[in-house]
Amino acid sequence: MAPSTSSVRLMRVVVVLLLLFPVLLKANEAPPFSVKAQLILAACKSVGEGSTYFNVQFCEGAIGSVIGGSADLDYQVFGGIAVRLLAENATSTKAKIDRLLRGGGGVKLKAEDDVAVARCLQSCQSLYGGILYDWLACTAAVKTRLFGEARRILEKAAAAAKECEDGFGKNNVASPLSAEDDDAFKLAKLGVAFLRLA
């Protein structure tokens, strides 16, 4: 006996629903991530559009790389994240400087540049040490909403990263820390920008 027309229709609907079920599940999971991404994008646009220090993409990449699942997303949180990322940058940069001063790190120098580069690296080592020395005070200032103090510390960190990079230029030698100095400067300025709006 052939199935009735209504049975055929019902089977078609069931097949379509079974095929769409995985798609519907994924669509149901997507909003929290996309809402979070939209909040980060909106915050980054508010501080990054028109900035002469960093762009929206830098901000999104930095903040988006560490946002957890349950944090309230506001400018204070974003500023705190920038402070933490700056401390991580300073820690890894200081370790790189230590390797370079010991002759590691794979940087080949002309003999006449060795002394100038070593002098610059020693200066940078001190500058990044200062950033690390200040980061706990900066973190505490963000948590206790002393944003003016936190911004002052971050501006000092930005100046230190710039001073490190400028030292190589003044000595007419290539900087082995260009990427690290650039990131440190931008992260410090990003923190300042977020904390101005917190």
Side-chain angles (χ1 to χ4, degrees):
M1 181 173 175
S4 68
T5 308
S6 61
S7 296
V8 170
R9 282 191 202 135
L10 180 62
M11 283 192 300
R12 286 181 182 160
V13 168
V14 168
V15 168
V16 168
L17 286 175
L18 287 173
L19 290 172
L20 287 177
F21 186 70
V23 174
L24 292 172
L25 276 178
K26 284 191 186 267
N28 195 29
E29 294 170 3
F33 174 77
S34 66
V35 166
K36 190 179 294 185
Q38 288 172 8
L39 286 172
I40 292 169
L41 177 60
C44 286
K45 280 185 174 181
S46 70
V47 297
E49 286 184 341
S51 173
T52 57
Y53 303 118
F54 58 87
N55 60 27
V56 174
Q57 290 75 25
F58 177 84
C59 175
E60 273 189 291
I63 300 302
S65 70
V66 294
I67 284 291
S70 62
D72 292 329
L73 301 181
D74 61 20
Y75 291 118
Q76 181 179 6
V77 169
F78 293 144
I81 289 170
V83 171
R84 190 175 91 211
L85 290 171
L86 175 62
E88 290 172 9
N89 169 284
T91 301
S92 64
T93 303
K94 197 165 181 321
K96 180 177 179 177
I97 293 168
D98 291 342
R99 284 192 309 274
L100 290 169
L101 286 171
R102 288 192 311 266
V107 176
K108 302 289 183 206
L109 302 170
K110 297 180 205 167
E112 63 269 19
D113 291 343
D114 279 348
V115 174
V117 170
R119 190 170 50 243
C120 292
L121 287 171
Q122 287 165 350
S123 173
C124 290
Q125 188 179 47
S126 174
L127 290 164
Y128 275 94
I131 292 172
L132 288 172
Y133 180 80
D134 287 341
W135 87 271
L136 285 176
C138 192
T139 300
V142 172
K143 284 183 180 175
T144 57
R145 302 186 65 81
L146 297 172
F147 300 136
E149 176 63 11
R151 288 194 310 266
R152 185 193 63 74
I153 295 169
L154 287 168
E155 289 290 7
K156 182 180 168 189
K162 186 173 185 325
E163 184 179 339
C164 171
E165 190 62 24
D166 289 349
F168 293 99
K170 288 175 185 172
N171 283 277
N172 297 313
V173 290
S175 170
L177 303 176
S178 291
E180 292 84 356
D181 289 338
D182 186 57
D183 283 346
F185 180 82
K186 287 177 180 175
L187 286 168
K189 290 294 190 178
L190 179 62
V192 169
F194 277 134
L195 296 177
R196 278 209 170 98
L197 299 175

